[in-house]
Coordinates of all heavy atoms in Angstrom, one line a residue:
H1370 N -9.2 -41.4 20.9 CA -8.1 -41.0 21.8 C -6.9 -40.5 20.9 O -6.8 -40.7 19.7 CB -7.7 -42.3 22.5 CG -7.3 -43.4 21.6 ND1 -8.1 -44.2 20.9 CD2 -6.0 -43.9 21.4 CE1 -7.5 -45.1 20.3 NE2 -6.2 -45.0 20.4
F1371 N -6.0 -39.8 21.6 CA -4.7 -39.5 21.0 C -3.7 -40.1 21.7 O -3.8 -40.7 22.7 CB -4.4 -37.9 21.2 CG -5.4 -36.9 20.5 CD1 -5.6 -35.7 21.0 CD2 -6.2 -37.3 19.4 CE1 -6.6 -34.8 20.3 CE2 -6.9 -36.4 18.7 CZ -7.2 -35.1 19.2
Q1372 N -2.5 -39.9 21.2 CA -1.2 -40.6 21.9 C -0.1 -39.6 21.8 O 0.1 -38.9 20.8 CB -0.9 -41.9 21.2 CG -1.9 -42.9 21.2 CD -1.4 -44.3 20.5 OE1 -0.3 -44.7 21.0 NE2 -2.2 -44.9 19.8
I1373 N 0.7 -39.4 22.8 CA 1.9 -38.6 22.8 C 3.0 -39.5 23.2 O 3.0 -40.3 24.2 CB 1.7 -37.4 23.8 CG1 2.8 -36.3 23.6 CG2 1.4 -37.7 25.2 CD1 2.4 -35.0 24.0
I1374 N 4.2 -39.3 22.5 CA 5.4 -40.1 22.8 C 6.5 -39.1 23.0 O 6.9 -38.3 22.2 CB 5.7 -40.9 21.5 CG1 4.6 -41.9 21.3 CG2 7.0 -41.6 21.8 CD1 4.8 -42.7 20.0
N1375 N 7.1 -39.2 24.3 CA 8.2 -38.4 24.6 C 9.5 -39.4 24.7 O 9.5 -40.4 25.4 CB 8.1 -37.8 26.0 CG 7.0 -36.9 26.1 OD1 6.1 -36.9 25.4 ND2 7.1 -35.9 27.1
S1376 N 10.5 -39.1 23.9 CA 11.7 -40.1 23.7 C 12.9 -39.4 23.8 O 13.0 -38.2 23.4 CB 11.4 -40.8 22.5 OG 12.6 -41.6 22.1
P1377 N 14.1 -40.0 24.1 CA 15.3 -39.4 24.1 C 15.9 -39.4 22.6 O 16.9 -38.7 22.3 CB 16.2 -40.3 24.9 CG 15.6 -41.5 24.9 CD 14.1 -41.3 24.8
T1378 N 15.2 -40.1 21.7 CA 15.6 -40.1 20.3 C 14.5 -39.9 19.4 O 13.4 -40.3 19.7 CB 16.3 -41.5 19.9 OG1 15.4 -42.6 20.2 CG2 17.6 -41.8 20.8
P1379 N 14.7 -39.4 18.2 CA 13.5 -39.1 17.3 C 13.3 -40.4 16.4 O 14.1 -41.2 16.3 CB 14.1 -38.0 16.4 CG 15.5 -38.2 16.3 CD 15.9 -38.8 17.7
S1380 N 12.1 -40.4 15.9 CA 11.6 -41.5 15.0 C 12.4 -41.3 13.6 O 13.0 -40.2 13.5 CB 10.1 -41.5 14.8 OG 9.7 -40.3 14.0
T1381 N 12.2 -42.2 12.8 CA 13.0 -42.2 11.4 C 12.6 -40.9 10.7 O 13.4 -40.2 10.2 CB 12.7 -43.5 10.7 OG1 13.0 -44.5 11.4 CG2 13.4 -43.5 9.4
H1382 N 11.3 -40.7 10.5 CA 10.9 -39.5 9.7 C 11.2 -38.3 10.5 O 11.5 -37.3 9.9 CB 9.4 -39.6 9.4 CG 8.9 -38.6 8.5 ND1 9.3 -38.5 7.3 CD2 8.1 -37.4 8.8 CE1 8.7 -37.5 6.6 NE2 8.0 -36.9 7.5
H1383 N 11.0 -38.2 11.8 CA 11.3 -37.0 12.6 C 12.7 -36.6 12.4 O 13.0 -35.5 12.2 CB 11.0 -37.4 14.1 CG 10.8 -36.2 15.0 ND1 10.4 -36.3 16.3 CD2 11.0 -34.9 14.7 CE1 10.3 -35.1 16.8 NE2 10.8 -34.1 16.0
E1384 N 13.6 -37.6 12.5 CA 15.0 -37.3 12.2 C 15.3 -36.8 10.8 O 16.1 -35.8 10.6 CB 15.8 -38.5 12.6 CG 17.4 -38.4 12.5 CD 18.2 -39.4 13.0 OE1 17.8 -40.6 12.7 OE2 19.2 -39.3 13.5
L1385 N 14.6 -37.5 9.9 CA 14.9 -37.1 8.6 C 14.5 -35.5 8.3 O 15.2 -34.7 7.8 CB 14.0 -37.9 7.6 CG 14.0 -37.6 6.1 CD1 15.4 -37.7 5.5 CD2 12.9 -38.4 5.4
I1386 N 13.4 -35.1 8.8 CA 12.9 -33.8 8.5 C 13.7 -32.7 9.3 O 14.0 -31.7 8.9 CB 11.3 -33.5 8.7 CG1 10.9 -33.8 10.2 CG2 10.5 -34.3 7.8 CD1 9.4 -33.6 10.4
L1387 N 14.1 -33.1 10.5 CA 15.0 -32.2 11.3 C 16.3 -32.1 10.4 O 17.0 -30.9 10.4 CB 15.4 -32.8 12.7 CG 14.2 -32.8 13.6 CD1 14.6 -33.6 14.9 CD2 13.9 -31.3 14.1
Q1388 N 16.9 -33.2 10.1 CA 18.2 -33.2 9.2 C 18.0 -32.3 7.9 O 18.9 -31.5 7.7 CB 18.6 -34.5 9.0 CG 19.2 -35.3 10.2 CD 19.6 -36.7 9.9 OE1 19.3 -37.2 8.8 NE2 20.2 -37.3 10.8
K1389 N 17.0 -32.6 7.2 CA 16.8 -31.9 6.0 C 16.5 -30.4 6.2 O 16.9 -29.5 5.5 CB 15.5 -32.5 5.3 CG 15.8 -33.9 4.8 CD 16.7 -34.0 3.5 CE 16.8 -35.3 2.9 NZ 17.8 -35.3 1.7
C1390 N 15.8 -30.0 7.3 CA 15.6 -28.7 7.5 C 16.8 -27.9 8.0 O 17.1 -26.7 7.7 CB 14.5 -28.5 8.7 SG 12.8 -28.7 8.0
A1391 N 17.7 -28.6 8.7 CA 19.0 -28.1 9.2 C 19.9 -27.8 7.9 O 20.6 -26.8 7.7 CB 19.7 -28.9 10.1
L1392 N 19.8 -28.8 7.0 CA 20.7 -28.6 5.7 C 20.2 -27.5 4.9 O 21.0 -26.6 4.4 CB 20.7 -29.9 4.9 CG 21.4 -29.9 3.7 CD1 22.9 -29.7 3.9 CD2 21.2 -31.2 2.9
Y1393 N 18.9 -27.3 4.9 CA 18.1 -26.3 4.0 C 18.6 -24.9 4.7 O 19.0 -24.0 4.0 CB 16.7 -26.5 4.0 CG 16.1 -25.4 3.2 CD1 15.6 -25.6 1.8 CD2 15.6 -24.2 3.7 CE1 15.0 -24.7 1.1 CE2 14.9 -23.3 2.9 CZ 14.6 -23.5 1.7 OH 13.9 -22.6 0.9
H1394 N 18.6 -24.8 6.0 CA 18.9 -23.5 6.7 C 20.4 -23.2 6.5 O 20.7 -22.0 6.3 CB 18.6 -23.7 8.2 CG 18.7 -22.5 9.0 ND1 19.9 -22.1 9.6 CD2 17.9 -21.5 9.1 CE1 19.8 -20.9 10.2 NE2 18.5 -20.5 10.0
E1395 N 21.2 -24.2 6.5 CA 22.7 -24.0 6.2 C 22.9 -23.5 4.8 O 23.7 -22.6 4.6 CB 23.5 -25.3 6.4 CG 24.9 -25.3 6.2 CD 25.5 -26.7 6.4 OE1 25.2 -27.3 7.4 OE2 26.4 -26.9 5.7
Q1396 N 22.1 -24.1 3.9 CA 22.3 -23.6 2.4 C 21.7 -22.2 2.1 O 22.1 -21.5 1.3 CB 21.8 -24.6 1.5 CG 22.5 -25.9 1.6 CD 21.9 -27.1 0.8 OE1 20.6 -27.1 0.5 NE2 22.5 -28.1 0.5
H1397 N 20.6 -21.9 2.8 CA 19.8 -20.8 2.3 C 19.6 -19.6 3.4 O 19.0 -18.7 3.1 CB 18.4 -21.2 1.9 CG 18.4 -22.2 0.7 ND1 18.8 -21.8 -0.5 CD2 18.3 -23.6 0.7 CE1 18.8 -23.0 -1.3 NE2 18.4 -24.0 -0.6
N1398 N 20.0 -20.1 4.6 CA 19.9 -19.1 5.8 C 18.5 -18.8 6.1 O 18.2 -17.6 6.6 CB 20.7 -17.9 5.6 CG 21.1 -17.2 6.9 OD1 21.2 -17.9 8.0 ND2 21.1 -15.9 6.8
T1399 N 17.5 -19.7 5.7 CA 16.1 -19.4 6.0 C 15.5 -20.7 6.5 O 16.1 -21.7 6.2 CB 15.3 -19.0 4.8 OG1 15.5 -19.9 3.7 CG2 15.7 -17.5 4.4
C1400 N 14.3 -20.7 7.1 CA 13.7 -21.9 7.5 C 12.7 -22.5 6.3 O 12.1 -21.8 5.7 CB 12.7 -21.6 8.7 SG 11.6 -22.9 9.2
F1401 N 13.0 -23.7 6.0 CA 12.3 -24.4 4.9 C 10.7 -24.2 5.0 O 10.1 -23.8 4.0 CB 12.6 -25.9 4.9 CG 11.6 -26.6 4.0 CD1 11.9 -26.7 2.6 CD2 10.4 -27.3 4.4 CE1 11.0 -27.3 1.7 CE2 9.6 -27.9 3.6 CZ 9.8 -28.0 2.2
W1402 N 10.1 -24.3 6.2 CA 8.7 -24.2 6.4 C 8.3 -22.7 6.2 O 7.1 -22.6 5.6 CB 8.4 -24.7 7.8 CG 8.6 -26.1 8.0 CD1 9.7 -26.5 8.8 CD2 8.1 -27.3 7.3 NE1 9.7 -28.0 8.8 CE2 8.8 -28.4 7.8 CE3 7.1 -27.4 6.4 CZ2 8.4 -29.7 7.5 CZ3 6.7 -28.7 6.0 CH2 7.3 -29.8 6.5
D1403 N 9.1 -21.8 6.5 CA 8.7 -20.4 6.4 C 8.6 -20.1 4.8 O 7.7 -19.6 4.2 CB 9.7 -19.3 6.8 CG 9.5 -19.3 8.3 OD1 8.4 -19.7 8.9 OD2 10.5 -18.9 9.1
D1404 N 9.6 -20.7 4.0 CA 9.7 -20.4 2.6 C 8.6 -21.2 1.9 O 8.0 -20.7 1.0 CB 11.0 -20.9 2.0 CG 12.3 -20.0 2.5 OD1 11.9 -19.0 3.1 OD2 13.4 -20.3 2.1
L1405 N 8.3 -22.5 2.4 CA 7.2 -23.2 1.8 C 5.9 -22.5 1.8 O 5.1 -22.4 0.9 CB 7.2 -24.6 2.5 CG 5.9 -25.5 1.9 CD1 6.2 -25.9 0.5 CD2 5.8 -26.7 2.9
L1406 N 5.6 -21.9 3.1 CA 4.3 -21.2 3.2 C 4.2 -20.0 2.4 O 3.1 -19.7 1.8 CB 4.2 -20.8 4.8 CG 4.0 -21.9 5.7 CD1 3.9 -21.4 7.2 CD2 2.8 -22.7 5.5

């Protein structure tokens, strides 16, 4: 089985990667995941 969670707030790690990606974009004007790939 799989599980799907819909929530008004992100989990701890979800929030962390969203924040880190936003900071990276602010600093480099690119998406972290695009650059990583």
Side-chain angles (χ1 to χ4, degrees):
H1370 61 286
F1371 295 156
Q1372 300 184 47
I1373 190 161
I1374 301 176
N1375 296 28
S1376 172
T1378 57
S1380 68
T1381 303
H1382 186 71
H1383 199 170
E1384 184 173 36
L1385 175 65
I1386 59 176
L1387 286 169
Q1388 290 177 347
K1389 291 289 187 180
C1390 285
L1392 178 61
Y1393 184 92
H1394 188 268
E1395 181 181 317
Q1396 292 173 340
H1397 305 284
N1398 199 33
T1399 56
C1400 175
F1401 169 83
W1402 298 109
D1403 289 339
D1404 287 356
L1405 178 68
L1406 291 177

